[in-house]
């Protein structure tokens, strides 16, 4: 593999880089240490219940620690751009306060102490938007917002920009406005624009509408700035780990599974998906375009980026359309299977997904369309090119590679019958013929249910020592890639095997509720001192039992595409799940562990009506459950408050639906009502789940 010839900048440049980014390194170390303490604390809280007199207090203390953690992340991100000393001070202060609260809380939980943790309570307010601000810092919504779009491509882009501001505030767009670009960057943007004009021609009008929608609110965001969020201005990667800067190691992230036919209760497709990343300002889109199918799509970031990962061109999953086609998962990345001679310009993943949902009626049609598109920017990662995991009521496939080698996986290759799954590795037998794998084929083992994994588990970490070795040339691109992929594939193979076991155990009775159970079951962490556990993982890749339900789930979605049913839980489906690796947990502010449910009906009004009906059912179930509790029980008051909150959200939806003379577009009013009803669903679900983990209201065959 010729990537060893990749340019190495040398020690002097490393020193310059280290000096320039000293605060960044310090912030990352501080953040990671704080994050570990937070999720270990949350695991302990997850073992408690509302019947414990201290439970509500401990959750409140944990959430204050999360506010401080978010403040640290917010100001660290700001400081990395401004380089201002006061921004860095506020970042480190946030992490320090979060670490202190989490540490004191952890000690009390371990010792069984009832004394409260002392802290200065933050001012949490709405700030004129639908999200909360804590001491002026925007909090990530604990319930993912939904926006409805309808009309022409231009109109949908306009509506999207307007609704982002309604939900989050102007800052969500202002941070992407007014960015100067160099001539070379503009030339690259034009090249990507041309590619998308050929293959996804609707995107340009969507971006023009977005720019005008922002401008109408006084936000000077140009067409080019919007387009850049979707396609970027980077040249295509020419080699492995070629990102135009530091080597980008493959990430452990995301899971997806689809079952149909003999595997499911009624023969219809049921899917489950998680996005595993640092939870950011995410959103779900329900679109009714003038041309093509209606669809639901969940990008990981409302403006196409994710905290800590940067610009991902609206990467996300899952998605379904009105014909019952599902985009389940990105399909096993990172893979890099296609030969480098085919790499180049093409189209980005999110644009390809939305195009397929609009213009394909089934998975076989989706596969034909994907196979006809350019190979694209494989070297930058799954989010930068075409390929994925699609399924319908009769067929599913996962594209892992299209040329040299062709590796399109179907059910049966890993022993599946009417189901298929993917995590973050190549599982097709032909993957071993790819350039980066075949030179070291003796290091790899093909697991019959898990796909490819190294014969010996491998650890890895992106540390200062790693960066020094990279800059000095002691790590070649080929060696770094191989080690990183071995590290990634070890974990992914275990998650694949978990899917196989759960689909096999539930075979013939898989439905939405069973799929939720798949993600409510967590894994384990090794016993022993935390620092030693982490060191062993980084050196040898050793860990406990691994599940697809874990502390890295930023979103958990189950769907029944043929019926248009789409259920989302923001974060993990159960509080206190173990992480799938020590650095991958994402602590969440006010996590709910509850699903909202929407249905892709024929019109926006019908979408809202369905959500309203389910909210009413959820509230009725919650009131019945809470009504059976003795008023002297510690659980009564907090659960009663959740029911009351659900009822207030429901009434907010009712008021919006009655506003027929509102000056707003009907789409905006219906979207706000839909968000109110989904919030009502989640609050009610939190209450009844505390008393009945699998209530009748969620059992599809009984409701």
């Amino acid at each position: 593999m010729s990537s060893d010839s990749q340019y190495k900048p040398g020690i002097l440049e490393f020193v310059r880089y280290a000096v320039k980014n000293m605060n960044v390194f310090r912030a990352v170390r501080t953040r990671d240490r704080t994050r570990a303490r937070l999720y270990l604390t949350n695991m302990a809280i997850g073992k408690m219940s509302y019947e414990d007199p201290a439970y509500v207090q401990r959750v409140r203390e944990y959430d204050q620690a999360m506010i401080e953690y978010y403040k640290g992340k917010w100001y660290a991100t700001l400081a990395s751009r401004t380089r201002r000393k006061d921004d860095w001070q506020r970042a480190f202060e946030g992490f320090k306060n979060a670490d202190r609260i989490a540490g004191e809380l952890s000690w009390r939980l371990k010792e069984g102490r009832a004394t409260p943790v002392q802290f200065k309570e933050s001012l949490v307010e709405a700030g004129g938007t639908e999200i909360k601000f804590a001491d002026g810092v925007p909090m990530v919504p604990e319930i993912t917002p939904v926006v409805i779009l309808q009309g022409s491509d231009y109109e949908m882009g306009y509506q999207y920009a307007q609704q982002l501001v309604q939900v989050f505030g102007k800052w969500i767009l202002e941070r992407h406005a007014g960015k100067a670009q160099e001539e070379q960057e503009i030339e690259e943007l034009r090249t990507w624009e041309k590619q998308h004009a050929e293959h996804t021609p609707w995107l340009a009008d969507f971006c023009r509408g977005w720019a005008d929608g922002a401008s109408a609110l006084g936000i000077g965001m140009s067409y080019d700035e919007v387009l850049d969020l979707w396609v970027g201005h980077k040249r295509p990667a020419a080699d492995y780990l070629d990102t135009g800067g530091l080597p980008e190691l493959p990430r452990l992230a995301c899971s997806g599974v689809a079952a149909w036919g003999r595997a499911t209760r009624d023969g219809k497709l049921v899917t489950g998906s998680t996005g595993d990343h640092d939870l950011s300002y995410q959103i779900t889109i329900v679109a009714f375009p003038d041309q093509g199918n209606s669809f639901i799509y969940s990008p990981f970031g409302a403006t196409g980026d994710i905290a800590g990962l940067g610009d991902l061109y609206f990467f996300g999953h899952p998605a379904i359309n009105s014909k019952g086609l599902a985009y389940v998962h990105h399909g096993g990345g990172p893979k890099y299977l296609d030969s480098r001679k085919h790499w180049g310009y093409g189209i980005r993943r999110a644009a390809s997904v939305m195009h397929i949902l609009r213009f394909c009626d089934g998975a076989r049609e989706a596969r034909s369309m994907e196979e006809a598109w350019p190979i694209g920017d494989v070297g930058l990662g799954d989010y930068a090119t075409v390929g994925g995991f699609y399924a319908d009521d009769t067929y599913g496939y996962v594209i892992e590679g299209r040329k040299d080698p062709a590796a399109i996986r179907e059910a049966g290759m890993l022993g599946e019958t009417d189901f298929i799954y993917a995590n973050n590795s190549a599982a097709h037998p032909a993957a071993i013929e790819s350039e980066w794998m075949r030179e070291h084929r003796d290091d790899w083992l093909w697991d019959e249910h898990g796909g490819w994994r190294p014969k010996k588990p491998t650890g890895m970490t992106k540390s200062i020592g790693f960066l020094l070795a990279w800059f000095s040339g002691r790590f070649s691109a080929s060696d770094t890639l191989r080690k990183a992929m071995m590290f990634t594939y070890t974990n992914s193979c275990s998650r694949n095997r978990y899917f196989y076991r759960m689909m096999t155990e539930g075979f013939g009775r898989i439905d939405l509720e069973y799929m939720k159970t798949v993600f409510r079951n967590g894994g384990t962490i090794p016993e022993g001192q935390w620092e030693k556990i982490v060191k062993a993982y980084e050196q040898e890749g050793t860990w406990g039992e691994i599940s697809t339900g874990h502390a890295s789930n930023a979103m958990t979605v189950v769907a029944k595409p043929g019926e248009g049913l789409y259920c989302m839980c923001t974060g993990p489906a159960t509080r206190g799940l173990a992480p799938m690796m020590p650095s991958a947990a994402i602590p969440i502010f006010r996590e709910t562990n509850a699903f909202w449910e929407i249905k892709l009906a024929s019109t926006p009004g019908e979408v809202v009506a369905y959500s309203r009906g389910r909210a009413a059912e959820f509230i009725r179930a919650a009131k019945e459950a809470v009504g059976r509790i003795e008023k002297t029980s510690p659980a009564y008051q907090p659960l009663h408050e959740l029911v009351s909150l659900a009822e207030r959200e429901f009434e907010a939806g009712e008021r919006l639906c009655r506003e027929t003379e509102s000056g707003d577009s009907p789409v905006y009013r219906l979207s706000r009502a839909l968000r109110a009803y989904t919030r009502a669903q989640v609050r009610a679900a939190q209450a009844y789940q505390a008393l009945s983990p699998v209530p009748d209201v969620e059992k599809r065959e009984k409701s």
Side-chain angles (χ1 to χ4, degrees):
M1 189 164 62
S2 62
S3 43
D4 291 358
S5 62
Q6 186 171 305
Y7 170 68
K8 301 296 187 303
I11 296 298
L12 181 59
E13 190 159 338
F14 169 74
V15 173
R16 290 177 183 147
Y17 179 87
V19 170
K20 182 180 179 181
N21 293 281
M22 188 178 303
N23 279 323
V24 175
F25 288 138
R26 182 185 165 203
V28 169
R29 289 197 303 271
T30 306
R31 180 204 65 190
D32 289 351
R33 182 180 65 247
T34 303
R35 183 167 61 186
R37 179 165 284 180
L38 281 166
Y39 70 70
L40 289 172
T41 302
N42 199 36
M43 287 179 66
I45 294 174
K47 297 175 182 177
M48 303 172 69
S49 76
Y50 278 96
E51 294 293 341
D52 190 316
Y55 178 73
V56 173
Q57 174 183 307
R58 294 311 180 208
V59 171
R60 176 174 167 269
E61 292 161 349
Y62 176 80
D63 284 336
Q64 180 60 43
M66 281 305 311
I67 287 175
E68 297 294 340
Y69 175 75
Y70 276 162
K71 286 160 64 175
K73 287 206 306 176
W74 175 264
Y75 286 114
T77 301
L78 184 64
S80 66
R81 295 197 305 263
T82 66
R83 303 283 175 176
R84 288 175 49 175
K85 185 177 180 180
D86 58 338
D87 287 334
W88 281 119
Q89 288 176 338
R90 284 184 285 188
F92 291 120
E93 181 181 3
F95 289 136
K96 180 181 177 182
N97 289 338
D99 192 64
R100 180 191 66 79
I101 295 171
E104 292 188 22
L105 176 55
S106 177
W107 177 78
R108 284 164 171 76
L109 288 166
K110 184 177 180 180
E111 298 295 323
R113 303 296 179 92
T115 54
V117 176
Q118 299 299 316
F119 57 83
K120 180 182 177 182
E121 194 160 357
S122 293
L123 176 63
V124 180
E125 54 190 350
T129 68
E130 296 182 23
I131 68 167
K132 296 179 178 68
F133 290 74
D135 300 328
V137 173
M139 296 288 102
V140 172
E142 58 258 43
I143 301 170
T144 299
V146 188
V147 296
I148 299 173
L149 310 178
Q150 185 180 34
S152 68
D153 300 316
Y154 176 89
E155 288 170 327
M156 291 194 298
Y158 190 99
Q159 294 161 7
Y160 189 70
Q162 293 267 313
Q163 291 187 75
L164 286 188
V165 173
Q166 289 172 7
V167 173
F168 297 102
K170 286 188 175 182
W171 65 269
I172 194 81
L173 296 183
E174 287 174 338
R175 61 185 179 151
H176 296 292
K179 293 182 178 180
Q181 286 189 322
E182 298 179 0
E183 184 177 347
Q184 180 61 37
E185 293 175 334
I186 295 173
E187 289 179 5
E188 289 292 336
L189 181 66
R190 295 278 81 84
T191 303
W192 288 111
E193 178 185 39
K194 183 179 179 181
Q195 289 286 319
H196 287 77
E198 179 180 353
H199 301 291
T200 58
W202 53 268
L203 181 59
D205 275 349
F206 187 94
C207 292
R208 291 188 185 98
W210 176 329
D212 287 350
S215 296
L217 296 170
I219 303 169
M221 198 170 187
S222 70
Y223 163 78
D224 276 1
E225 287 170 334
V226 178
L227 181 66
D228 192 50
L229 298 178
W230 284 89
V231 304
H233 55 262
K234 290 183 178 180
R235 61 169 176 76
D239 211 338
Y240 302 107
L241 308 183
D242 175 15
T243 63
L246 290 176
E248 188 56 62
L249 301 185
R251 306 180 182 98
L252 288 77
C254 307
S255 299
V257 61
W260 63 88
R262 290 164 289 179
T264 61
R265 188 178 295 277
D266 61 4
K268 303 298 183 182
L269 175 67
V270 180
T271 68
S273 311
T274 65
D276 304 338
H277 50 266
D278 206 348
L279 178 61
S280 192
Y281 305 97
Q282 63 191 27
I283 207 159
T284 289
I285 298 167
V286 182
F288 292 86
D290 282 350
Q291 293 183 318
N293 303 317
S294 55
F295 63 89
I296 300 174
Y297 175 55
S298 293
F300 295 157
T303 53
D305 58 328
I306 305 177
L309 298 181
D311 297 330
L312 297 180
Y313 314 138
F314 285 87
F315 190 52
H317 65 251
I320 65 173
N321 75 7
S322 52
K323 298 298 176 60
L325 173 64
Y327 172 67
V328 184
H329 177 261
H330 52 78
K335 304 174 292 290
Y336 309 129
L337 297 193
D338 303 274
S339 173
R340 284 172 291 173
K341 66 184 178 182
H342 300 299
W343 295 9
Y345 293 98
I347 54 178
R348 302 307 194 188
R349 178 64 60 87
S352 78
V353 170
M354 292 174 73
H355 191 84
I356 285 174
L357 292 172
R358 286 180 63 171
F359 301 110
C360 292
D361 294 346
R364 293 185 187 278
E365 190 178 351
R367 174 175 171 173
S368 295
M369 184 173 284
E370 287 199 292
E371 289 181 296
W373 276 330
I375 295 297
D377 197 3
V378 173
L380 197 57
D382 273 16
Y383 67 93
T385 189
V386 171
F389 175 178
Y390 289 87
D392 58 28
D393 279 342
T394 62
Y395 174 70
Y397 73 92
V398 178
I399 287 184
E400 297 183 358
R402 287 184 287 158
K403 285 189 178 180
D404 304 329
I408 300 179
R409 186 158 53 87
E410 299 173 304
M413 288 186 177
L414 297 180
E416 320 98 318
T417 299
D418 291 356
F419 64 89
I420 191 170
Y421 46 82
N423 282 284
N424 289 76
S425 59
H428 194 289
I432 197 66
E433 301 304 327
S434 63
E435 289 178 297
W436 70 268
M437 290 187 78
R438 67 188 180 212
E439 293 183 15
H440 304 279
R441 64 174 67 238
D442 291 341
D443 294 336
W444 293 93
L445 175 69
W446 192 72
D447 185 287
E448 62 177 344
H449 302 311
W452 291 102
R453 65 175 176 85
K455 290 182 178 178
K456 182 179 179 182
T458 301
M460 193 169 198
T461 180
K462 194 171 180 178
S463 62
I464 294 292
F466 164 78
L467 294 177
L468 178 60
W470 173 265
F471 273 95
S472 66
R474 286 189 286 122
F475 280 179
S476 69
S478 60
D479 289 341
T480 304
L481 175 71
R482 182 165 54 91
K483 186 175 182 182
M485 296 294 258
M486 286 181 165
F487 170 65
T488 300
Y489 279 35
T490 299
N491 183 289
S492 185
C493 180
S494 296
R495 285 182 285 150
N496 279 338
R497 290 187 62 83
Y498 172 78
F499 268 148
Y500 180 83
R501 176 171 65 82
M502 292 300 292
M503 294 299 101
T504 302
E505 289 179 2
F507 193 83
R509 54 185 177 86
I510 296 169
D511 56 14
L512 284 173
E513 187 53 43
Y514 184 85
M515 198 64 82
K516 290 178 184 178
T517 301
V518 170
F519 297 104
R520 283 172 172 150
N521 292 333
T524 63
I525 61 175
E527 295 183 1
Q529 186 179 5
W530 179 249
E531 289 74 15
K532 291 183 179 179
I533 294 172
V534 174
K535 186 175 181 180
Y537 185 78
E538 292 176 347
Q539 291 180 347
E540 303 166 9
T542 54
W543 196 242
E545 291 184 19
I546 295 174
S547 165
T548 56
H550 49 72
S552 307
N553 299 150
M555 63 165 70
T556 307
V557 180
V558 300
K560 194 170 185 181
E563 296 180 10
L565 295 174
Y566 194 91
C567 311
M568 173 181 284
C569 173
T570 303
T574 302
R575 182 184 281 274
L577 293 178
M580 63 172 173
M581 61 178 288
S583 62
I586 48 163
I588 296 174
F589 172 64
R590 292 184 180 174
E591 66 176 277
T592 67
N593 316 115
F595 291 83
W596 52 242
E597 181 179 314
I598 61 178
K599 183 174 183 177
L600 185 57
S602 299
T603 67
E606 291 176 15
V607 172
V608 175
Y610 179 86
S611 181
R612 177 190 184 278
R614 291 301 276 167
E617 292 179 51
F618 284 20
I619 290 171
R620 188 160 50 248
K623 292 178 76 170
E624 290 175 358
V626 175
R628 292 192 291 267
I629 305 175
E630 295 290 336
K631 291 188 178 181
T632 55
S633 167
Y636 179 81
Q637 187 60 32
L639 295 183
H640 179 75
E641 290 174 0
L642 277 174
V643 174
S644 296
L645 178 55
E647 290 179 315
R648 291 196 299 273
E649 293 285 13
F650 186 87
E651 182 53 36
E654 298 289 85
R655 287 195 302 271
L656 286 160
C657 287
R658 290 193 295 265
E659 290 179 4
T660 57
E661 301 299 323
S662 172
D664 277 347
S665 163
V667 168
Y668 302 150
R669 179 170 49 82
L670 289 171
S671 287
R672 289 199 296 270
L674 180 59
R675 291 193 290 275
Y677 289 134
T678 52
R679 291 193 297 266
Q681 289 179 18
V682 170
R683 297 312 182 194
Q686 286 181 268
Y688 64 63
Q689 283 179 181
L691 304 169
S692 178
V694 187
D696 285 347
V697 74
E698 288 193 27
K699 291 181 180 177
R700 191 62 44 183
E701 65 274 18
K702 292 185 179 181
S703 63

